[in-house]
DNA sequence: AGATTGGTTCGAAATTATTCGAACCATCAG
DNA sequence: CTGATGGTTCGAATAATTTCGAACCAATCT
């Protein structure tokens, strides 16, 4: 048994590329994932997409792009996987970038502002 | 005569979308343009691409993507055009974002820090 | 006017990204 | 072991971007 190859490849901090990071963040769905992860690690199953009917292969691909850009970490966790933001690596490599992205209000302000969870932002 | 419509459309500050901005910045060539413009407005002819043999239609298209994302302004100037970074608009809409992108050192940082040490990956 | 310089726009071709089903693998519950 | 749950990977279809030449336009010479 010992088929322990379940760890997927993650770029080293020094290999992170600004353009790849920006590209990965430039998709609304991926950005939404990153926002969820900003609150702390999450099991993949608890990380929801905007449209719940999106197939898991697509979800997996979104995570792959984020992982390969070095934005998130994806590690085995029990029966599933745990996702986490690579905040520390990103901050070290691109200071202030993630913070500014996370604190930026998104484009479509056309929805009800029923959001209350502002993390350490400004009042 | 009187065809003075040479002004191209620019999105209003309030229409800027984070994902579009990130996308526009996610291309190395476009990012290099933005870096040049960070030093102040430039005439298009003085704004050089990494490869000087790139045709002008391509250059124009790169500028279009940046302009439509709201990152640069492109206005008639004498016989040519003047490009400028929309710093103020970007700062107002996405505080800190442009600064962090501009101050981030770019891609292949694989040099310099000679310590071939362990990648930031997880043990 | 005509020629020159500087730039946009329009297609079309090539490249790259996204989407999704099917097949596959690992872990946990019975 | 069997089945169920959770996720990755592969391949093919689709969609979006990029690239470039050609046509076109505006302003500046001579």
């Amino acid at each position: 048994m010992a088929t322990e190859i379940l760890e997927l490849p993650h770029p080293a901090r020094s290999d992170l590329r600004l353009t790849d990071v920006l590209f990965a963040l430039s998709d609304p769905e991926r950005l939404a994932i990153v926002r969820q992860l900003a609150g702390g690690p999450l099991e993949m199953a608890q990380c929801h997409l905007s449209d719940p009917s999106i197939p898991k292969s697509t979800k997996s691909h979104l995570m792959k792009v984020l992982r390969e850009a070095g934005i998130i970490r994806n590690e085995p966790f029990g029966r599933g996987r745990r996702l986490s933001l690579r905040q520390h690596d990103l901050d070290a490599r691109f200071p202030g970038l993630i913070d500014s992205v996370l604190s930026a209000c998104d484009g479509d302000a056309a929805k009800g502002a029923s959001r209350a969870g502002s993390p350490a932002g400004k009042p």
Side-chain angles (χ1 to χ4, degrees), chain A:
Chain A
M1 330 281 296
T3 61
E4 49 224 64
I5 317 271
L6 198 18
E7 303 276 352
L8 332 115
H10 290 74
R13 170 192 293 188
S14 62
D15 285 342
L16 301 196
R17 280 173 162 261
L18 179 56
T19 48
D20 290 346
V21 168
L22 294 175
F23 179 81
L25 294 173
S26 74
D27 176 72
E29 202 74 60
R30 287 192 297 254
L31 184 55
I33 292 170
V34 169
R35 281 193 205 287
Q36 289 181 62
L37 263 33
L42 231 48
E43 287 188 57
M44 190 165 192
Q46 327 308 331
C47 191
H48 306 294
L49 301 185
S50 64
D51 180 350
S53 70
I54 288 176
K56 52 187 185 172
S57 57
T58 298
K59 184 176 179 181
S60 191
H61 180 256
L62 290 169
M63 298 304 179
K64 182 183 187 179
V65 174
L66 287 169
R67 173 176 51 83
E68 289 179 340
I71 295 173
I72 68 175
R73 195 174 291 112
N74 180 343
E75 48 195 351
F77 185 71
R79 166 171 54 190
R81 300 205 145 249
R82 192 179 64 163
L83 307 173
S84 52
L85 194 58
R86 289 179 65 178
Q87 271 257 13
H88 193 250
D89 289 328
L90 291 166
D91 279 344
R93 201 80 177 60
F94 313 117
L97 179 64
I98 285 299
D99 280 354
S100 63
V101 168
L102 289 176
S103 67
C105 49
D106 232 339
D108 320 315
K111 353 193 59 179
S114 47
R115 259 273 167 256
S118 174
K122 27 172 333 203

